[in-house]
Amino acid sequence: MSSTEFYGRRQQFFREWRVLWDVHGLDTLLGGVYVLPGFYFFRDVGFSQIYDVIVPFILASFVAGYLAFAVYAPQTQGKTLPFYFSLPRARTPTWDAHLAYLVCAVLWIEGAILIGVLFKLGGAGMTPHYRLHPEAFALPFLAMAAVAAYTHVQNTTRNVIVFLLVAVAFVVGLFFWLDTGFLEGAAKTNNYFPPRGFDLSHQGALAALLLIVSGYTLLRVRVHWQRRQVGEIR
Amino acid sequence: MNVIEMENAHRFFGSVAAVDNLSLVVPKGSVFGLLGENGSGKTTSIKLMMGALIPQEGTVQIFGIDPVGMAPETRARIAYVADEMALPGWMRLSEAMKLHASYFEQWDEKMALDRLRMYELALDQTFGTLSKGQQRRFLLTLALAQLPELLILDEPAAGLDVAVRREFLDTLMELANEREVTILLSSHILSDVERVVDHVAFTKKGRLVLQANLEDLKVQVKRLCFAAPPEETALGTHFNVLSTSREGDAFQAMVDDFAPEKLDGWDCQVEHLNLEELFLLYNTPRETEKNP
């Protein structure tokens, strides 16, 4: 293989995936396992005909955030940055390959959740109907985008405050969503079959909005990374 | 042929000129010492060479190419080890070697393993458990195993004890002798560097003070020690006098164009200057001192 082929875009892409798999493969695989205990928390076993699959997706958000940090932080910050910078690889294609890996990792984790739904993990007593919420699928992507953004910016006081505010807003939004979306619990009046708090179309719109925000954040991070001079004093 | 060429490079951080109109060339196959005090612009110059910074004015070229956005196949010809460089602490040495090796078409696995055995580093150790000296040795091993044409070392021996520094520099000498590798080495520990470099550049406050072949410099720059002071104007017509000093009747003159035939019958001792003395000579303001 000539040098041109060895360092061609296609070879670079697969090389980045191999490297990420070698370093983070086990964490990625286990990420699909770590979210499954979420089926066993905060559920009305034997009391409701509906099980809203939420907690596994919240756990998936933490796993996605962790993976994003593990992949991006060494390459963008601190004493490890010069090592990764000096590797012979094209900057933007490398970043794209890493993003593609993380997206696939999130899809794997969400696939694991769907497998858990298929096997009705956490169900007992009354046969539960497992109810999925579109916006829950977007949460891990949002977490991944937020952590990617955090790892790429300077650790200035302003940026730390901004991210703390974003984290607080996210938690507040999460509680609002949990509270408003699942207001009506299981009761005799609704035959222990509580309805969705929001209309499915509204949930779909919320999911789309969260995915758009995630995508836009990642695009801004990409552009920032393309322009950033890594040797600047930080 | 020059491997690195910087021409009138400027780099500011705010109002501070980290590199100020710096021009230097690093010849192929040389062991080049980029020397200066802390804050003299060495690291910034190296970052410009690596493409980690873009000069606000001037040009930087490595192998005739702008290092910013350099193609991976060209980048693979360069190895870089910096003082402030590390791997993730949780990463095992075996993982790090595999990661690093995967990026290079040429990789000398045997050499890497031999070096690790020599340094008594086990592959299942994590990077974070190594001492600073061991970390530096490991990073140098990775750099050498990629079989580079250009090795850039930014303060590679800083913070290391004497024995490790010596061994590190011996490795560089061995490398320079065995293979035609161009080595650029920045340091403020001049006594160490003198053993290995053949070209030097002195920097101060981001500017180039001097660039020269070290042997030529040592031949041309001498300290002339006179028991009785000669006539200074006469001295000045024979030599380019950089500085003079007087202690009682004894008189010393630093000249940068020494040749034995120029002594013209003067009775004086000719002393060689080591690298540290040369550096101080060119980096301190020149003045003629007279002791009371």
Side-chain angles (χ1 to χ4, degrees), chain A residues 7 22 35 39-40 72 78 81 109 114 142-143 153 162 167 169 175 185 190 199 218 226:
Chain A
Y7 291 110
D22 285 343
V35 299
F39 284 99
Y40 297 89
Y72 282 129
L81 186 158
I109 293 166
L114 292 177
L142 190 67
V153 298
V162 165
F175 275 103
N190 58 30
D199 189 70
L218 288 166
Q226 283 175 315

Side-chain angles (χ1 to χ4, degrees), chain B residues 14 40 74 104 129 147 164 170-171 186 194 215 234 243 258 287:
Chain B
S40 62
T74 311
F104 298 95
T129 60
L147 305 176
V164 176
D170 284 344
T171 303
S186 88
E194 184 166 12
E215 274 312 304
S243 71
F258 176 79
E287 56 185 346

